[in-house]
Amino acid sequence: MRKMIPTEQNPNRDGRPILIVLHQEGSSPGRVGQLLVEKGYRLDIRRPVLGQPLPTTLEDHAGAVVFGGPMSANDPDDFIKKEIDWIDVPLREKRPYLGICLGAQMLVHHLGGKVQSNADGSTEIGWYPLDPTEKGRLLMHWPKMVYHFHREGFELPRGADLLAEGDAYPNQAFRYDGNAWGLQFHAELTRVMMHRWVVHGAHRFILPNAQQGREHLEGRMLFDAPLKAWLTEFLDIVFEGKTAKATSSIALRA
């Protein structure tokens, strides 16, 4: 059964929940889920990999967040193909859609773009610099370092606005048609989640360009506070259409 997380107050819109799509039985929406609940939203959590269906319309939802996972948007599994096809629902209905890592790659795949690894096999596993584009800087202030855990990147879909760039994988954040957003990096990890990823993902630290576990944890102490501050404002922009606060520049430059 899908899981609904309630909240005591819901001043946002008319009380409709945000659809949360996860890709493993033990996955969590992490900090994204925590912040959305703090902002007054309920969460409608579904896991298509376990056979839980996605809604045929988002009329009863305030938007959707599709998270990451160990699978690829190129995998032949039926649930992957169905989920990629389902993205037509938020696009057609002009509902807020946020794709994180795999969720962004699924959006790119749906829009006809390629999802693939670098030819040299390089990864982004750990903390790496983020460089906002001009359109990104006009939207809001961005953190200087962000957390990654992926071996594939994506093309910028035709008609999308690139908001932030990276070194190993240039396309890091984009906006499509006003309502759909894609992020290659992870801002949703709580401390517990990061420790779990470092333990269970340690076998990937030998991959090209990957950082060692201690660097993941040390980077969190240095870079997590501005990343969380950014995420708080970013969720307001995605789901409320708010503009970033001018005061954010102080927090994010710290």
Side-chain angles (χ1 to χ4, degrees), residues 86-140:
W86 174 85
I87 294 176
D88 185 61
V89 172
L91 295 183
R92 184 180 66 248
E93 297 181 354
K94 304 291 186 182
R95 308 298 291 168
Y97 173 96
L98 172 57
I100 299 174
C101 198
L102 176 62
Q105 295 170 357
M106 286 180 163
L107 173 60
V108 169
H109 200 293
H110 180 85
L111 295 172
K114 291 182 180 179
V115 175
Q116 58 190 11
S117 299
N118 283 341
D120 62 1
S122 59
T123 67
E124 285 181 321
I125 298 177
W127 294 90
Y128 300 90
L130 188 72
D131 185 22
T133 64
E134 182 178 357
K135 289 184 178 179
R137 288 190 291 270
L138 291 173
L139 179 71
M140 66 184 303

Side-chain angles (χ1 to χ4, degrees), residues 137-236:
R137 288 190 291 270
L138 291 173
L139 179 71
M140 66 184 303
H141 297 278
W142 295 73
K144 294 180 180 179
M145 299 288 285
V146 291
Y147 188 70
H148 288 274
F149 216 109
H150 68 95
R151 293 181 291 176
E152 292 182 316
F154 52 75
E155 289 182 336
L156 184 68
R158 181 177 298 179
D161 292 325
L162 184 63
L163 303 177
E165 299 174 297
D167 294 331
Y169 286 85
N171 300 323
Q172 291 289 328
F174 69 91
R175 183 180 189 178
Y176 177 79
D177 199 26
N179 298 92
W181 308 75
L183 302 176
Q184 182 61 82
F185 55 89
H186 295 276
E188 79 276 16
L189 268 69
T190 63
R191 183 182 305 170
V192 171
M193 289 173 66
M194 181 169 289
H195 278 271
R196 186 167 64 245
W197 285 27
V198 166
V199 171
H200 293 292
H203 62 285
R204 296 187 177 182
F205 298 162
I206 63 173
L207 296 173
N209 199 47
Q211 298 171 6
Q212 297 304 302
R214 66 180 182 278
E215 297 175 271
H216 295 224
L217 302 177
E218 291 170 357
R220 181 178 181 85
M221 291 187 290
L222 296 171
F223 310 125
D224 186 63
L227 182 58
K228 180 180 180 181
W230 170 85
L231 179 62
T232 299
E233 286 198 38
F234 183 69
L235 292 174
D236 284 340

Side-chain angles (χ1 to χ4, degrees), residues 9-84:
Q9 287 185 318
N10 197 332
N12 294 304
R13 301 191 180 181
D14 55 5
R16 288 178 289 184
I18 290 179
L19 179 69
I20 300 292
V21 182
L22 302 174
H23 296 105
Q24 292 178 289
E25 185 174 1
S27 294
S28 163
R31 180 180 284 163
V32 166
Q34 293 173 356
L35 290 174
L36 289 174
V37 169
E38 289 176 8
K39 294 175 186 296
Y41 287 105
R42 292 177 297 129
L43 307 181
D44 179 3
I45 298 178
R46 307 197 191 191
R47 294 176 169 85
V49 68
L50 301 182
Q52 297 172 353
L54 297 177
T56 58
T57 177
L58 283 179
E59 290 181 359
D60 297 326
H61 292 81
V65 185
V66 177
F67 286 81
M71 56 286 294
S72 168
N74 297 316
D75 287 348
D77 305 75
D78 286 342
F79 86 92
I80 291 287
K81 294 178 179 179
K82 290 180 179 178
E83 193 172 325
I84 291 172

